[in-house]
């Protein structure tokens, strides 16, 4: 598995639409990452990106948070950062655009 960043946006709140955010992220990442998936449901939508070989995952994650805040993403937007070769049980980074930036090893119970 290559290094990945997954952006999650909630539904029912003001902010960029899915297609507008896709365009913004395409310009932000340029050739450094490619769209590797997306989805939507009643809770919101997600956009998935795979970083190109040689790109520094944590540097991109550090740049992504202020970028998303600046362009007006929906309140409650978060992204998760998974290192190359990540497997269940290993830590990943979860960043709230308007809040915490922390490392997790398991999901909170729902």
């Amino acid at each position: 598995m290559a290094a990945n960043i997954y952006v999650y946006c909630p539904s029912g709140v003001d902010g960029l639409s899915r297609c507008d955010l896709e365009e913004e992220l395409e310009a932000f990442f340029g050739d450094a990452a490619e769209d590797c998936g997306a989805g939507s449901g009643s809770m919101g939508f997600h956009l998935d990106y795979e970083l190109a070989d040689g790109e520094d995952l944590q540097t991109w994650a550090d740049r992504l948070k202020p970028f998303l805040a600046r362009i007006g993403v929906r309140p409650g937007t978060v992204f998760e950062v998974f290192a190359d070769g990540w497997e269940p049980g290993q830590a990943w980074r979860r960043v709230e655009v308007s809040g915490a930036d922390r490392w997790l090893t398991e999901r909170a119970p729902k």
Side-chain angles (χ1 to χ4, degrees):
M1 176 174 130
N4 289 284
I5 297 176
Y6 304 120
V7 180
Y8 302 94
C9 299
S11 60
V13 293
D14 291 336
L16 289 176
S17 69
R18 178 178 163 175
C19 67
D20 289 340
L21 182 55
E22 282 177 307
E23 287 178 14
E24 292 285 349
L25 287 171
E26 183 178 310
F28 173 76
F29 285 121
D31 292 335
E34 80 175 56
D35 177 351
C36 65
S40 59
S42 62
M43 299 297 289
F45 65 88
H46 65 93
L47 303 171
D48 306 341
Y49 295 88
E50 181 177 300
L51 287 179
D53 289 339
E55 294 293 337
D56 186 307
L57 178 62
Q58 300 310 325
T59 297
W60 278 104
D62 290 343
R63 292 179 56 210
L64 183 57
K65 181 176 180 172
F67 172 78
L68 291 173
R70 189 172 52 251
I71 64 171
V73 294
R74 297 172 179 200
T77 295
V78 301
F79 62 92
E80 295 184 332
V81 179
F82 294 88
D84 185 19
W86 182 89
E87 293 183 14
Q90 294 177 329
W92 75 93
R93 185 174 172 188
R94 180 177 172 88
V95 180
E96 299 169 7
V97 173
S98 298
D101 181 341
R102 61 186 181 271
W103 288 86
L104 303 173
T105 56
E106 59 185 39
R107 297 234 179 252
K110 292 185 179 188

